[in-house]
Short mmCIF file of all heavy atoms in Angstrom, two decimals:
data_model
loop_
_atom_site.label_atom_id
_atom_site.label_comp_id
_atom_site.label_asym_id
_atom_site.label_seq_id
_atom_site.Cartn_x
_atom_site.Cartn_y
_atom_site.Cartn_z
N ARG A 205 30.51 -26.01 18.53
CA ARG A 205 31.27 -27.08 17.95
C ARG A 205 31.50 -28.21 18.98
O ARG A 205 31.40 -29.39 18.66
CB ARG A 205 32.62 -26.58 17.41
CG ARG A 205 32.54 -25.72 16.18
CD ARG A 205 33.95 -25.39 15.69
NE ARG A 205 34.68 -26.61 15.29
CZ ARG A 205 35.96 -26.70 15.09
NH1 ARG A 205 36.74 -25.65 15.30
NH2 ARG A 205 36.52 -27.83 14.72
N GLY A 206 31.81 -27.77 20.18
CA GLY A 206 32.07 -28.77 21.21
C GLY A 206 30.84 -29.64 21.53
O GLY A 206 30.98 -30.87 21.74
N LEU A 207 29.69 -29.02 21.56
CA LEU A 207 28.46 -29.79 21.77
C LEU A 207 28.23 -30.80 20.65
O LEU A 207 27.84 -31.95 20.88
CB LEU A 207 27.23 -28.87 21.88
CG LEU A 207 27.13 -27.95 23.09
CD1 LEU A 207 25.91 -27.08 23.00
CD2 LEU A 207 27.12 -28.77 24.38
N LEU A 208 28.44 -30.37 19.40
CA LEU A 208 28.24 -31.26 18.28
C LEU A 208 29.33 -32.37 18.23
O LEU A 208 29.00 -33.52 17.96
CB LEU A 208 28.23 -30.50 17.00
CG LEU A 208 27.86 -31.27 15.69
CD1 LEU A 208 26.56 -32.03 15.87
CD2 LEU A 208 27.78 -30.32 14.51
N ASP A 209 30.54 -32.02 18.55
CA ASP A 209 31.61 -33.04 18.59
C ASP A 209 31.27 -34.09 19.66
O ASP A 209 31.48 -35.28 19.45
CB ASP A 209 32.96 -32.37 18.93
CG ASP A 209 33.52 -31.61 17.78
OD1 ASP A 209 33.20 -31.92 16.60
OD2 ASP A 209 34.31 -30.64 18.04
N GLU A 210 30.77 -33.62 20.79
CA GLU A 210 30.44 -34.55 21.88
C GLU A 210 29.29 -35.45 21.46
O GLU A 210 29.30 -36.65 21.76
CB GLU A 210 30.06 -33.73 23.11
CG GLU A 210 29.83 -34.57 24.37
CD GLU A 210 29.62 -33.69 25.58
OE1 GLU A 210 28.92 -32.67 25.46
OE2 GLU A 210 30.14 -34.06 26.67
N ALA A 211 28.27 -34.89 20.80
CA ALA A 211 27.12 -35.67 20.39
C ALA A 211 27.49 -36.73 19.38
O ALA A 211 26.87 -37.79 19.27
CB ALA A 211 26.04 -34.76 19.83
N ALA A 212 28.53 -36.42 18.57
CA ALA A 212 28.95 -37.32 17.51
C ALA A 212 29.39 -38.70 18.04
O ALA A 212 29.32 -39.66 17.31
CB ALA A 212 30.06 -36.68 16.67
N ALA A 213 29.84 -38.72 19.27
CA ALA A 213 30.34 -39.96 19.85
C ALA A 213 29.27 -41.08 19.88
O ALA A 213 29.63 -42.27 19.83
CB ALA A 213 30.89 -39.72 21.23
N THR A 214 28.01 -40.66 19.99
CA THR A 214 26.94 -41.69 20.12
C THR A 214 25.98 -41.67 18.90
O THR A 214 24.96 -42.33 18.96
CB THR A 214 26.14 -41.44 21.38
OG1 THR A 214 25.62 -40.11 21.39
CG2 THR A 214 27.02 -41.65 22.63
N MET A 215 26.35 -40.99 17.84
CA MET A 215 25.50 -40.97 16.67
C MET A 215 25.55 -42.28 15.90
O MET A 215 26.62 -42.90 15.77
CB MET A 215 25.93 -39.82 15.70
CG MET A 215 25.56 -38.43 16.11
SD MET A 215 26.10 -37.31 14.81
CE MET A 215 26.21 -35.76 15.78
N THR A 216 24.41 -42.69 15.36
CA THR A 216 24.37 -43.81 14.42
C THR A 216 24.81 -43.29 13.03
O THR A 216 24.82 -42.09 12.79
CB THR A 216 22.95 -44.37 14.33
OG1 THR A 216 22.09 -43.38 13.74
CG2 THR A 216 22.42 -44.76 15.67
N PRO A 217 25.15 -44.20 12.12
CA PRO A 217 25.47 -43.73 10.78
C PRO A 217 24.37 -42.89 10.14
O PRO A 217 24.61 -41.93 9.46
CB PRO A 217 25.68 -45.03 10.03
CG PRO A 217 26.21 -46.00 11.08
CD PRO A 217 25.40 -45.64 12.31
N ALA A 218 23.09 -43.28 10.41
CA ALA A 218 21.97 -42.52 9.85
C ALA A 218 21.92 -41.13 10.45
O ALA A 218 21.63 -40.12 9.72
CB ALA A 218 20.65 -43.25 10.09
N GLU A 219 22.18 -41.01 11.72
CA GLU A 219 22.16 -39.71 12.37
C GLU A 219 23.32 -38.83 11.86
O GLU A 219 23.14 -37.64 11.66
CB GLU A 219 22.29 -39.87 13.91
CG GLU A 219 21.01 -40.46 14.51
CD GLU A 219 21.20 -40.88 15.97
OE1 GLU A 219 22.34 -41.15 16.38
OE2 GLU A 219 20.17 -40.97 16.70
N ARG A 220 24.44 -39.43 11.63
CA ARG A 220 25.60 -38.65 11.08
C ARG A 220 25.25 -38.14 9.69
O ARG A 220 25.54 -37.00 9.30
CB ARG A 220 26.87 -39.53 11.01
CG ARG A 220 27.57 -39.66 12.34
CD ARG A 220 28.82 -40.49 12.20
NE ARG A 220 29.62 -40.46 13.42
CZ ARG A 220 30.80 -39.87 13.55
NH1 ARG A 220 31.34 -39.25 12.54
NH2 ARG A 220 31.42 -39.87 14.71
N ALA A 221 24.61 -38.99 8.91
CA ALA A 221 24.23 -38.59 7.55
C ALA A 221 23.24 -37.42 7.58
O ALA A 221 23.34 -36.48 6.78
CB ALA A 221 23.61 -39.78 6.79
N ALA A 222 22.27 -37.45 8.53
CA ALA A 222 21.31 -36.37 8.67
C ALA A 222 21.98 -35.08 9.04
O ALA A 222 21.63 -34.01 8.56
CB ALA A 222 20.26 -36.77 9.67
N VAL A 223 22.97 -35.16 9.94
CA VAL A 223 23.72 -33.98 10.36
C VAL A 223 24.50 -33.42 9.17
O VAL A 223 24.52 -32.16 8.98
CB VAL A 223 24.66 -34.33 11.52
CG1 VAL A 223 25.70 -33.22 11.73
CG2 VAL A 223 23.87 -34.55 12.79
N GLU A 224 25.10 -34.25 8.40
CA GLU A 224 25.86 -33.78 7.20
C GLU A 224 24.94 -33.01 6.24
O GLU A 224 25.28 -31.96 5.72
CB GLU A 224 26.50 -34.97 6.52
CG GLU A 224 27.65 -35.57 7.30
CD GLU A 224 28.21 -36.81 6.59
OE1 GLU A 224 27.76 -37.13 5.46
OE2 GLU A 224 29.10 -37.48 7.19
N VAL A 225 23.72 -33.57 6.04
CA VAL A 225 22.78 -32.90 5.14
C VAL A 225 22.41 -31.52 5.63
O VAL A 225 22.37 -30.54 4.88
CB VAL A 225 21.51 -33.78 4.97
CG1 VAL A 225 20.38 -33.00 4.28
CG2 VAL A 225 21.80 -35.04 4.20
N ARG A 226 22.13 -31.40 6.91
CA ARG A 226 21.78 -30.09 7.52
C ARG A 226 22.96 -29.12 7.39
O ARG A 226 22.76 -27.93 7.01
CB ARG A 226 21.42 -30.25 8.98
CG ARG A 226 20.24 -31.12 9.27
CD ARG A 226 18.94 -30.45 8.89
NE ARG A 226 17.78 -31.24 9.36
CZ ARG A 226 16.52 -30.98 9.13
NH1 ARG A 226 16.22 -29.88 8.45
NH2 ARG A 226 15.57 -31.75 9.61
N PHE A 227 24.15 -29.56 7.73
CA PHE A 227 25.32 -28.67 7.71
C PHE A 227 25.55 -28.18 6.27
O PHE A 227 25.76 -26.97 6.05
CB PHE A 227 26.56 -29.44 8.22
CG PHE A 227 27.77 -28.59 8.36
CD1 PHE A 227 28.07 -27.93 9.52
CD2 PHE A 227 28.69 -28.45 7.28
CE1 PHE A 227 29.24 -27.18 9.66
CE2 PHE A 227 29.85 -27.68 7.42
CZ PHE A 227 30.12 -27.05 8.61
N LEU A 228 25.58 -29.06 5.32
CA LEU A 228 25.85 -28.70 3.93
C LEU A 228 24.75 -27.78 3.37
O LEU A 228 25.03 -26.88 2.57
CB LEU A 228 26.03 -29.94 3.09
CG LEU A 228 27.26 -30.80 3.43
CD1 LEU A 228 27.28 -32.07 2.59
CD2 LEU A 228 28.55 -30.03 3.26
#
Side-chain angles (χ1 to χ4, degrees):
R205 289 185 63 194
L207 291 178
L208 186 52
D209 287 334
E210 187 174 40
T214 56
M215 284 183 203
T216 65
E219 289 169 337
R220 281 181 172 249
V223 165
E224 289 175 5
V225 168
R226 298 286 189 185
F227 186 91
L228 294 176

